[in-house]
Amino acid sequence: MGVLKVPVQLLCLCFVVTVVLLLASQTAEARIRRYKWEVKNEFNFPDCYKKLMITINGRSPGPTILAQQGDTIIVEVKNSLHTENIAIHWHGIRQIGTPWFDGTEGVTQCPILPGETFTYEFVVDKPGTFLYHGHYGMQRTDGLYGSIRVSVPDGVIEPFSYDYDRSIILNDWYHKSTSELATGLSSNPFVWVGEPQSLLIQGRGRFNCPTLSSPNLEVGLCNISKPECSPYVLTVVPGKVYRLRISSLTMLSALNFEIEGHNMTIVEADGHYVEPFVVKNLNIYSGETYSVLVKADQDPSRNYWAATNVVSRQPGTPTGLAIFNYYPNHPRRSPPTTPPTGPVWNDSDYRMAQSFAIRAHQGHIIPPPVRSDRVIILLNTQNEIDGYRYWAVNNVSFTLPETPYLIALKENLLHAFDQKLPPENYDLVNYDIFVKPNNSNATTSNSIYRLQFNSTVDIILQNANSMKANDSETHPWHLHGHNFWVLGYGKGKFNPITDTNKFNLVDPIMKNTVPVHPYGWTALRFRADNPGVWSFHCHIEAHMHMGMRVVLEEGVEKVGKLPSSIMGCGKTKGNYRP
C-alpha cells in the first residue's frame, strides 16, 4: 500500500483551523465562571459586638460574582452549618430555562442539608447590579449574602461613563440570631424583632458598646478595637467618576444613603438604565439595587462621611457610617464634620417623589403592553389567627408546603398543596385602609396563582393600616423570575377606573423589586413568559416569615426535566440526591 501524500497547503489549513477551534474553545471556557463556596458558622464582630453569623469562605458579605452578560455561572455550595439547611437565591437573575436553580426553598428546590454539596448553574442573561442571599428561613439576616455584578458584552457602550466601579451592600444588623427572632414572631404572645442594633455598610458598622461595668456583659463580647468593625473605606482619586452599585438587603429597615458634600446621579435600577437625575441622597428599600455616579470633586485635603439612616420607621438605630477617602489622605482619618442625619424619617411624600422620578432611559425604553389580560389586586394586611400574629394578602397568610411547588407540579403531585385558588381581590367598597382592622377572620393556605402562559398580568399592591393604630409600613415586594414595568404609585385606596388612566405607558422603569408606600398603592405589569413557579413576596424578612407572600405558576408544562439534586424532601424523600 502506498503512502498517502497530503499537500502542504492542506496541512497548513488544518493547522490553522485547529488553532482557531482551540482558541474558540478557550474563549468559550473563559465565559464559564466557576465558584466553590463553603457556608459555615463563625463568630465575628461586624459591628464590634460578637455574634455567631453565617459566612461564605469566611466572609460576609460573601465573594462578589463578576461576570459578563451571557456567561454561565457555576457555584458549588457546601453546607457546613452543623444544624441548619440552606438555599441561595440569585436575586434579579431570571433563571430562563433553569427555574430549578432559583434557590427558593419550598418553591423551586428542597433545601441543602448540613454536610451536603449542591451545585447551581445558570446564565446571567442581562447586565446590571444584582444580589444573592440565603432563602431558607431568615438566614440572610445572619450574613448569608453578596453582590453579583454583570457587565455589558464586549463592544457594547453603556449610556454613561465612569472611571471606576464599586459594589456596596447596605444592611441592618441584629445581635439576636435569626432562630431567636423567628421564634418570637411565631410565638403567642407575639414578640416583635424590634429595631436593629446597627446599620452595616459593606458588612461593617459600629455598635455603641456598653461599659465593662454594665451588668451581664460577657468579657470580650463587645470590643471597638476589633478590625472587623472599623468603618468601610471607599478610596477615591480626586477628579475621577465612580459608579457605586448601591444595594440593600436589610431585614426590616428602609434606608437613605448619602455621601457628605457630594451629589449622586442615578443611572441604573435593578439592571435597567434610568433617565439620569441628580439626588443629594438615595432612598433604597430591601431587595433594590441602584447604580449612582459620584464625582470626587470636593476639597481633596480631607475625607468625607458616607452615611445610611433609617427612614419610614421611627429610627432606633444609630447612623451607619463609612469613610469616603480622598487619596492620598489616610484612609482611617475621620472627617472633621458631623455625619449626615438624612431626611425626615416620616416624610413619605419625599420618598414617593423619588419613586416617581425613576423612569426608563430614553434610549433604552422597553414599551409595556398597552393592556393586560388579568388584574390581581393584593391587599397587604396584618392579621391574627387563633391568637397568633400574621401578615396576609387578601386575608390569606402564606405557608410553604413540604414538597416544593415546581416538583409537585412537574411530577403531578397535586395533593402536595392546596388546589383551591387564592383570592384575586378584596372588598374594595367596604374595607377601610386607614383604620386599625380586626382581621381576625384570616386563614392560612399554600394555594398558588395559576397564570396563563405568555399572558400580560397587572398586579396592584395595596397598603393599609397594620394592627397598630395610625401605622402603615413600607413594603418592598420582590418578584422572582421576571422584570416588571412599574406603571405607577398612588396615595389612598386604588380605584380601578380612575387610577388606571394614570398609568405610565410611555417610559416606565422595569424592576424586580418595588416599594408600596404607607397608605398607598403600587401598580406593576409583567408578561408571564418564563416557564416555572415563582415566589412574589415582601422582602422584609420578618414580614415574609409571617406570611406576606404569594406564589405564581406559569407554563410549568414547558419546563424541562428536573434535576434530581433539587429533590429529597416531602413527597420526594425517596428520590436520589447526589
Side-chain angles (χ1 to χ4, degrees):
M1 178 183 291
V3 177
L4 180 63
K5 294 184 179 180
V6 180
V8 173
Q9 295 89 339
L10 184 56
L11 285 171
C12 293
L13 179 61
C14 290
F15 175 76
V16 170
V17 170
T18 302
V19 170
V20 169
L21 290 174
L22 282 171
L23 289 173
S25 173
Q26 290 170 2
T27 301
E29 182 65 25
R31 296 183 65 83
I32 297 177
R33 315 282 178 151
R34 299 180 184 272
Y35 296 85
K36 192 171 185 177
W37 292 353
E38 182 180 15
V39 176
K40 61 182 179 179
N41 284 127
E42 292 187 62
F43 287 108
N44 214 324
F45 296 78
D47 69 343
C48 306
Y49 190 94
K50 183 179 180 182
K51 179 178 175 176
L52 182 64
M53 56 190 297
I54 301 176
T55 63
I56 299 176
N57 296 348
R59 298 164 55 186
S60 178
T64 297
I65 290 178
L66 300 174
Q68 194 173 42
Q69 181 181 359
D71 286 358
T72 296
I73 308 298
I74 301 176
V75 186
E76 181 183 301
V77 180
K78 181 180 180 181
N79 180 6
S80 291
L81 301 182
H82 297 295
T83 59
E84 293 184 67
N85 304 329
I86 63 172
I88 297 180
H89 169 54
W90 315 95
H91 183 114
I93 307 300
R94 290 182 291 176
Q95 299 294 345
I96 297 173
T98 53
W100 46 79
F101 288 140
D102 186 51
T104 317
E105 181 270 332
V107 178
T108 60
Q109 72 167 97
C110 292
I112 310 168
L113 302 180
E116 288 191 342
T117 297
F118 184 92
T119 301
Y120 291 96
E121 183 173 345
F122 54 88
V123 174
V124 286
D125 62 286
K126 71 184 309 298
T129 305
F130 309 106
L131 298 161
Y132 64 83
H133 59 79
H135 219 291
Y136 179 86
M138 301 195 301
Q139 287 177 337
R140 80 164 194 259
T141 302
D142 277 342
L144 184 53
Y145 63 88
S147 295
I148 303 173
R149 189 193 307 171
V150 183
S151 60
V152 295
D154 293 339
V156 174
I157 299 175
E158 294 185 283
F160 48 85
S161 59
Y162 51 91
D163 299 300
Y164 298 101
D165 199 343
R166 301 286 186 269
S167 297
I168 299 175
I169 299 181
L170 308 178
N171 209 357
D172 49 11
W173 194 246
Y174 287 79
H175 292 166
K176 290 181 179 179
S177 70
T178 53
S179 296
E180 187 172 357
L181 295 173
T183 300
L185 296 172
S186 303
S187 295
N188 186 4
F190 175 71
V191 181
W192 177 234
V193 298
E195 297 304 308
Q197 280 67 62
S198 304
L199 299 178
L200 307 185
I201 299 178
Q202 199 59 12
R204 294 170 177 263
R206 178 62 64 90
F207 177 66
N208 294 325
C209 292
T211 63
L212 290 176
S213 60
S214 299
N216 304 319
L217 181 66
E218 177 188 328
V219 176
L221 187 61
C222 200
N223 188 341
I224 62 172
S225 66
K226 288 288 185 180
E228 301 99 307
C229 64
S230 58
Y232 172 71
V233 176
L234 177 63
T235 299
V236 297
V237 176
K240 298 297 183 180
V241 176
Y242 290 79
R243 178 182 186 171
L244 304 184
R245 299 173 185 258
I246 312 295
S247 307
S248 172
L249 278 176
T250 53
M251 188 270 214
L252 173 68
S253 310
L255 297 177
N256 181 273
F257 177 81
E258 67 179 293
I259 299 173
E260 177 194 11
H262 295 72
N263 288 328
M264 297 183 288
T265 303
I266 299 176
V267 294
E268 180 224 343
D270 290 359
H272 294 272
Y273 297 129
V274 171
E275 186 65 18
F277 67 102
V278 177
V279 295
K280 178 185 175 184
N281 49 60
L282 172 71
N283 298 308
I284 185 167
Y285 307 92
S286 182
E288 287 192 310
T289 68
Y290 288 97
S291 283
V292 300
L293 301 183
V294 179
K295 186 173 184 180
D297 58 1
Q298 298 301 301
D299 178 2
S301 67
R302 52 161 291 197
N303 290 337
Y304 297 81
W305 293 114
T308 185
N309 287 281
V310 172
V311 291
S312 190
R313 301 180 66 88
Q314 187 164 6
T317 310
T319 300
L321 296 174
I323 295 177
F324 198 69
N325 164 232
Y326 270 75
Y327 181 83
N329 296 320
H330 194 283
R332 301 299 177 197
R333 181 181 171 189
S334 291
T337 48
T338 303
T341 56
V344 178
W345 71 269
N346 58 356
D347 188 351
S348 57
D349 288 342
Y350 173 76
R351 297 193 306 278
M352 185 176 283
Q354 196 168 99
S355 293
F356 269 114
I358 300 169
R359 301 297 183 94
H361 190 281
Q362 287 301 305
H364 298 268
I365 296 173
I366 303 175
V370 176
R371 60 186 59 84
S372 65
D373 302 304
R374 183 174 177 182
V375 179
I376 301 173
I377 301 180
L378 302 180
L379 174 69
N380 307 164
T381 60
Q382 206 172 49
N383 303 64
E384 281 193 356
I385 305 174
D386 298 329
Y388 290 86
R389 187 66 57 91
Y390 292 86
W391 280 96
V393 177
N394 291 349
N395 233 25
V396 177
S397 187
F398 181 84
T399 58
L400 277 173
E402 294 181 355
T403 306
Y405 292 105
L406 182 62
I407 302 172
L409 288 164
K410 193 64 181 172
E411 302 297 323
N412 203 31
L413 304 172
L414 299 185
H415 55 292
F417 65 93
D418 186 358
Q419 295 299 300
K420 180 182 177 182
L421 298 179
E424 300 200 8
N425 211 323
Y426 71 102
D427 188 349
L428 277 165
V429 176
N430 297 310
Y431 193 95
D432 190 342
I433 67 168
F434 295 102
V435 301
K436 176 184 174 182
N438 179 7
N439 283 355
S440 57
N441 60 335
T443 60
T444 61
S445 175
N446 56 26
S447 61
I448 64 174
Y449 292 87
R450 311 291 291 268
L451 307 179
Q452 182 178 347
F453 184 69
N454 237 3
S455 63
T456 298
V457 180
D458 280 1
I459 293 183
I460 312 299
L461 296 164
Q462 176 66 65
N463 213 338
N465 204 97
S466 71
M467 297 193 78
K468 176 183 174 184
N470 302 313
D471 174 67
S472 181
E473 301 188 25
T474 301
H475 300 288
W477 276 78
H478 171 57
L479 178 58
H480 293 223
H482 300 80
N483 297 303
F484 50 73
W485 290 274
V486 183
L487 300 185
Y489 304 87
K491 294 181 179 181
K493 187 186 293 186
F494 177 77
N495 185 311
I497 298 174
T498 59
D499 287 328
T500 302
N501 295 330
K502 303 173 186 175
F503 284 174
N504 175 19
L505 301 178
V506 177
D507 58 355
I509 190 65
M510 296 191 77
K511 295 181 97 273
N512 61 62
T513 305
V514 67
V516 190
H517 295 285
Y519 298 112
W521 56 265
T522 300
L524 57 93
R525 178 172 292 176
F526 69 97
R527 286 194 181 97
D529 58 1
N530 191 7
V533 188
W534 309 105
S535 187
F536 182 42
H537 59 87
C538 178
H539 212 261
I540 294 174
E541 288 273 54
H543 293 178
M544 186 175 75
H545 175 81
M546 295 167 65
M548 200 172 189
R549 182 178 186 178
V550 300
V551 167
L552 313 173
E553 176 275 324
E554 63 202 55
V556 76
E557 71 281 356
K558 302 178 184 296
V559 173
K561 181 176 173 57
L562 302 181
S564 62
S565 61
I566 68 171
M567 303 182 190
C569 60
K571 304 292 183 183
T572 67
K573 280 184 179 177
N575 292 54
Y576 170 72
R577 285 178 62 92

